[in-house]
Amino acid sequence: MTTAQATLEAPARGTRPGGKAPYLHQIDLFRLITFACVILIHVVGATNFAQDVGANAVETPLHFTREAFFALTGFVLVFQNRGRELRAGDFWRRRLPLVATPYLAWTMFFWAYSLVTGGQQPGSLEASMRLLLTDLVTGGAWYHLYFLLVTMQVYLLFPFLMKLLRATAGKHGWLLLGSGLVQVGVVAFMTYQPLGVSYQTITHLYATLLPYQFYTLFGAVIAMHFETVHAWVGRHRLLLGGALVAVLAGTEWYYLRTVHSGTFPQVASDPFQPYLIPWYLTVIAAIYAFTTWWAARRREGGRGARVVSWAANRSFSIFLVHPLALALLGPVIPHVAERFGAPWLSAVIYVATIALTIVIVEVLRRLPGSRALTGRPRLRLAKAVA
């Protein structure tokens, strides 16, 4: 019996040396699927016009990635710490640098990249420094860095979240209900901007934990009840697959209805549209169901297991680097568009972005500053395939 099968059939007993939580191979695949969708949505956005109805129809369901990541973050943190005493200082010293260091490194890189390429032209050294400070505070140096900023907020609040979960044992359903109501209110506020509230205020909210608090708590509560939820998912994979198809159809129908009512496509597909909440929950559950099915059939040392392990080891690095790869490919997009046209343009650039990202990551992983640039320790040449 493989580790994955043992985890599937009796997850409560699958502990590792030192009292650590069992290793869940399905989480590796869950992370990879989500990262692949992150790259895809960025490529679709970069290779199509904002008013393209079809492109936004593709992007609409792909917006689940940010919610899935924060659900995954809450799940992993709680699953790893639910059975042991958590010291806030030790947790912060161990966890925060893993994200804060790449955040600082890539914020400074993209700040400089924007100045060099003309993306930002503040006009003076003082203005440049103010811009860098603003980027550090808001996560605005590049479009994906907000995720790291919000992740650090999750880390800062996590010790208090664990205390809350333990204090409300037996009432986690009510806790989720309250959080869900707050979530609906927050995204409604962001979507239907009240009079007197500036657009700038709304846009800054996406770099705070507030629009993602429900999904983080959702993942955390699932981790507290992992054995029960895991067993339920295993018995209801077909139900979740059917729900995925039905909710996806309903989501696309509502998006198209909204567009046909006169809403600009990019607004109709905004990731904070309240109508997307059921889709986010459904797709998160369905992906987990699929990854547990895969994990139960995973063969240790098999090709699939090795590929997933290799990619999971580089997933965070790929997330950090892929916007740079896509930006470097920017000048060739018009030429590819002339030759292929939609939707093949997006497909070609997607493959090219992944390939270039992997090349950059493999180079960075072998440099002395690997931990800052990729969030992972440096690879020695002799261990390149590890």
Side-chain angles (χ1 to χ4, degrees), residues 194-247:
L195 291 175
V197 178
S198 69
Y199 177 74
Q200 187 177 29
T201 298
I202 299 296
T203 56
H204 283 327
L205 283 176
Y206 82 94
T208 72
L209 179 59
L210 196 57
Y212 317 105
Q213 53 83 27
F214 170 71
Y215 302 99
T216 306
L217 181 62
F218 176 72
V221 169
I222 293 301
M224 291 294 287
H225 304 273
F226 171 69
E227 290 76 16
T228 300
V229 175
H230 183 83
W232 186 91
V233 168
R235 294 192 304 269
H236 296 88
R237 290 196 185 98
L238 289 179
L239 173 65
L240 290 171
L244 180 74
V245 174
V247 177

Side-chain angles (χ1 to χ4, degrees), residues 73-90:
T73 299
F75 174 86
V76 170
L77 291 178
V78 171
F79 188 72
Q80 290 176 342
N81 291 280
R82 63 177 183 165
R84 58 187 181 188
E85 182 182 356
L86 181 70
R87 294 182 174 86
D90 293 340

Side-chain angles (χ1 to χ4, degrees), residues 291-339:
T291 59
T292 57
W293 174 85
W294 171 83
R297 290 153 180 79
R298 173 184 178 275
R299 183 169 56 86
E300 192 68 39
R303 179 178 298 178
R306 287 186 284 111
V307 169
V308 170
S309 178
W310 179 91
N313 180 267
R314 291 155 174 80
S315 58
F316 183 49
S317 309
I318 289 172
F319 172 79
L320 291 170
V321 171
H322 84 272
L324 173 61
L326 184 55
L328 293 175
L329 290 170
V332 308
I333 289 178
H335 303 290
V336 177
E338 290 179 4
R339 183 175 180 85

Side-chain angles (χ1 to χ4, degrees), residues 38-115:
V38 168
I39 299 175
L40 179 58
I41 193 172
H42 290 161
V43 168
V44 171
T47 54
N48 293 274
F49 295 109
Q51 67 270 26
D52 190 302
V53 176
N56 280 281
V58 173
E59 291 185 60
T60 296
L62 290 174
H63 283 307
F64 82 90
T65 53
R66 61 184 75 194
E67 285 73 18
F69 274 130
F70 289 114
L72 183 63
T73 299
F75 174 86
V76 170
L77 291 178
V78 171
F79 188 72
Q80 290 176 342
N81 291 280
R82 63 177 183 165
R84 58 187 181 188
E85 182 182 356
L86 181 70
R87 294 182 174 86
D90 293 340
F91 175 82
W92 290 330
R93 281 191 295 271
R94 186 175 69 253
R95 280 282 183 171
L96 279 172
L98 299 178
V99 176
T101 304
Y103 176 74
L104 292 172
W106 283 102
T107 295
M108 295 182 68
F109 173 84
F110 281 116
W111 165 79
Y113 181 85
S114 295
L115 295 178

Side-chain angles (χ1 to χ4, degrees), residues 103-112 115 120 122 124-141:
Y103 176 74
L104 292 172
W106 283 102
T107 295
M108 295 182 68
F109 173 84
F110 281 116
W111 165 79
L115 295 178
Q120 296 282 356
S124 68
L125 178 61
E126 180 182 354
S128 297
M129 292 299 102
R130 284 201 303 269
L131 177 62
L132 175 59
L133 180 61
T134 300
D135 287 341
L136 287 169
V137 172
T138 65

